[in-house]
């Protein structure tokens, strides 16, 4: 079946810099996308979501961009902090997923250097 | 406002024993999803339940695994006759009724089969 994939398994950034985490999705009919943050020993934590009728959505220090033409999703974190160190997953709601069931990508580990 | 509660946090079972994992959804949420995660991997969907109904179990192994969400009490993921390959983190998530809502995850149960 189709799945969500990520380009970079590990991203290392300096504290204070901006981070960009990328995700490629393969199903052009997916209509809802979410970014999750997972710290060691914990469950995924919701960061931000975006629907397919939008190109950009901003939260506190985070921005999600959706490029439907190339089926690409990105998460931008401004002024990255040590507390941002975690694994980040993108997830999509495939068109024939039941309910709010999400299909997850493989994850990108973000390491923030002080 | 308690989030999704899972217990136990850690569970050790010998091969051949049974494992029971419990999940209480967020207050007001009637939909429960179980996911499995191997180390350094993404989350794989197992089963989606509503109260007293299994909606989608397409990700659940056909044998030894079962799930329920009774009218009263938590959702239970049951693994009979565990094998070493069942060792993983099992996450439960809940969502409200409306589609297009994010899943809220618990902190998981880490199952180790010895």
């Amino acid at each position: 079946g189709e799945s969500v994939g990520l380009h970079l398994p590990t991203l290392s950034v300096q504290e204070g810099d901006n981070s960009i985490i990328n995700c490629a999705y393969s199903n052009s009919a997916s209509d809802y996308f979410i970014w999750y943050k997972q710290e060691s020993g914990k469950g995924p934590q919701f960061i931000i979501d975006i629907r397919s009728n939008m190109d950009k959505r901003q939260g506190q220090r985070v921005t999600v961009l959706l490029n439907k033409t190339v089926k690409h999703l990105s998460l931008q974190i401004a002024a990255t902090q040590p507390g941002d160190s975690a694994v980040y997953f993108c997830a999509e709601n495939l068109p024939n997923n039941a309910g709010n069931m999400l299909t997850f990508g493989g994850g990108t580990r973000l390491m923030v250097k002080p | 406002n308690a989030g999704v509660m899972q217990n136990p946090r850690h569970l050790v079972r010998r091969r051949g024993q049974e494992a029971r994992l419990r999940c209480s959804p967020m207050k007001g949420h009637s939909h429960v999803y179980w996911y499995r995660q191997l180390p350094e991997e993404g989350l794989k969907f197992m089963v989606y339940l509503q109260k007293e109904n299994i909606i989608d179990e397409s990700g659940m192994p056909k044998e030894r695994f079962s799930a329920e969400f009774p009218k009263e009490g938590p959702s239970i993921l049951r693994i009979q006759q565990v094998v070493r390959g069942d060792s993983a983190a099992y996450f439960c998530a809940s969502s409200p009724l409306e589609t297009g809502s994010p899943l809220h995850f618990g902190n998981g149960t880490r199952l180790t089969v010895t």
Side-chain angles (χ1 to χ4, degrees):
Chain A
E2 295 175 307
S3 62
V4 178
L6 297 177
H7 298 303
L8 299 173
T10 303
L11 177 65
S12 184
V13 300
Q14 202 71 39
E15 181 179 357
D17 287 351
N18 296 336
S19 302
I20 300 176
I21 300 172
N22 297 303
C23 174
Y25 65 94
S26 55
N27 194 318
S28 58
S30 293
D31 59 1
Y32 182 54
F33 305 87
I34 304 178
W35 281 101
Y36 283 92
K37 172 187 180 183
Q38 187 177 26
E39 296 173 283
S40 180
K42 295 186 177 180
Q45 176 187 357
F46 170 84
I47 301 175
I48 192 168
D49 59 1
I50 189 167
R51 302 187 193 283
S52 58
N53 61 352
M54 301 173 70
D55 297 323
K56 178 179 179 179
R57 190 157 189 232
Q58 288 185 292
Q60 189 176 17
R61 281 201 308 119
V62 295
T63 301
V64 55
L65 299 177
L66 176 62
N67 186 331
K68 294 181 286 292
T69 302
V70 294
K71 290 181 284 188
H72 185 266
L73 192 69
S74 69
L75 177 70
Q76 300 179 0
I77 304 174
T80 312
Q81 303 169 358
D84 295 326
S85 294
V87 177
Y88 290 80
F89 294 96
C90 65
E92 65 180 322
N93 184 267
L94 295 174
N96 52 356
N97 279 2
N100 291 314
M101 192 257 277
L102 296 173
T103 300
F104 281 79
T108 294
R109 183 178 303 281
L110 177 64
M111 300 174 64
V112 182
K113 296 177 288 186
Chain B
N1 185 17
V4 177
M5 304 300 293
Q6 290 189 249
N7 69 84
R9 288 298 310 277
H10 300 274
L11 182 61
V12 179
R13 284 288 178 265
R14 292 193 177 135
R15 280 180 297 170
Q17 291 185 320
E18 178 180 288
R20 280 185 177 238
L21 289 62
R22 296 174 190 79
C23 169
S24 295
M26 284 183 70
K27 187 175 181 181
H29 286 188
S30 56
H31 298 210
V32 166
Y33 305 75
W34 285 93
Y35 283 79
R36 170 186 159 117
Q37 185 179 36
L38 295 173
E40 302 297 306
E41 292 189 10
L43 286 85
K44 304 297 183 188
F45 167 77
M46 298 181 73
V47 61
Y48 162 37
L49 310 102
Q50 296 175 13
K51 285 283 187 182
E52 300 184 281
N53 283 307
I54 296 174
I55 306 303
D56 185 337
E57 56 182 348
S58 58
M60 193 105 94
K62 293 290 185 286
E63 297 179 351
R64 301 188 298 108
F65 285 72
S66 62
E68 62 177 8
F69 189 16
K71 186 177 180 181
E72 301 290 339
S75 175
I76 305 287
L77 179 66
R78 181 182 179 202
I79 312 173
Q80 295 178 290
Q81 299 171 1
V82 295
V83 300
R84 289 216 172 113
D86 296 332
S87 295
Y90 292 85
F91 290 96
C92 170
S94 70
S95 77
L97 177 63
E98 297 79 14
T99 56
S101 302
L103 299 185
H104 298 266
F105 284 85
N107 282 324
T109 293
R110 276 138 191 91
L111 172 66
T112 302
V113 179
T114 61

